[in-house]
Amino acid sequence: MALGPSQRVFSAAKRLLQTLLANGETRLRLAVLELEEERARLLTLVLLAGASLLLLLLGVATLTALVIILFWDSYRIAAISISAGVLIFTSLLLGIIAIRQAKRHTLLKETLNQFSTDRALMELDDDAEPDEKH
């Protein structure tokens, strides 16, 4: 049984809408998966960084106290100044590295790449359609 022109248009529109919804659902699932992975990675990173910073703080405090005690009689001001300078310089250096790392964009990277691929394929299809008519 042949379909009329209006039924074919509605059928094609329905198939297009179903395809778009399925494609959108796939992309949304990918985005949710990436967000869950990023959340787990960030939680692990925060816990490891916190433990590492706590141990580093204890070690640096102990080392600084040792240096100051060793030079207390002869060079106490120099020992305190140099220790403070090294700590401040190191903290500034680590702060700069942290800022650079924070500027890197990795959130939803694969989802955005997939959207770019989809857009390129759609543009390729749009370019190919006029050629098919001739």
Side-chain angles (χ1 to χ4, degrees):
M1 177 180 209
L3 297 176
S6 62
Q7 289 176 334
R8 284 185 288 195
V9 170
F10 286 127
S11 177
K14 184 178 176 183
R15 283 193 313 267
L16 177 64
L17 184 60
Q18 288 173 340
T19 302
L20 289 174
L21 287 174
N23 203 6
E25 181 184 6
T26 302
R27 300 306 175 252
L28 183 60
R29 288 180 189 269
L30 178 62
V32 168
L33 180 66
E34 283 190 78
L35 286 172
E36 288 174 352
E37 288 176 355
E38 189 67 18
R39 182 187 58 149
R41 189 185 73 80
L42 285 175
L43 181 61
T44 302
L45 181 64
V46 166
L47 290 174
L48 288 173
S52 174
L53 287 174
L54 180 64
L55 293 173
L56 179 65
L57 176 67
L58 291 172
V60 168
T62 304
L63 184 61
T64 303
L66 175 66
V67 169
I68 292 171
I69 290 170
L70 283 175
F71 293 103
W72 187 257
D73 291 332
S74 54
Y75 302 105
R76 82 183 88 166
I77 300 297
I80 292 171
S81 299
I82 292 172
S83 295
V86 167
L87 291 174
I88 290 171
F89 173 76
T90 306
S91 70
L92 291 174
L93 183 65
L94 290 175
I96 291 169
I97 292 170
I99 289 170
R100 285 186 182 167
Q101 288 292 323
K103 288 183 180 180
R104 287 182 28 204
H105 298 288
T106 58
L107 186 62
L108 298 177
K109 181 177 165 183
E110 290 302 318
T111 300
L112 294 175
N113 286 341
Q114 192 62 47
F115 278 134
S116 295
T117 303
D118 291 346
R119 185 175 50 247
L121 288 174
M122 287 174 57
E123 289 172 357
L124 184 65
D125 287 345
D126 289 343
D127 292 341
E129 281 182 21
D131 293 338
E132 292 175 4
K133 291 181 183 178
H134 294 302

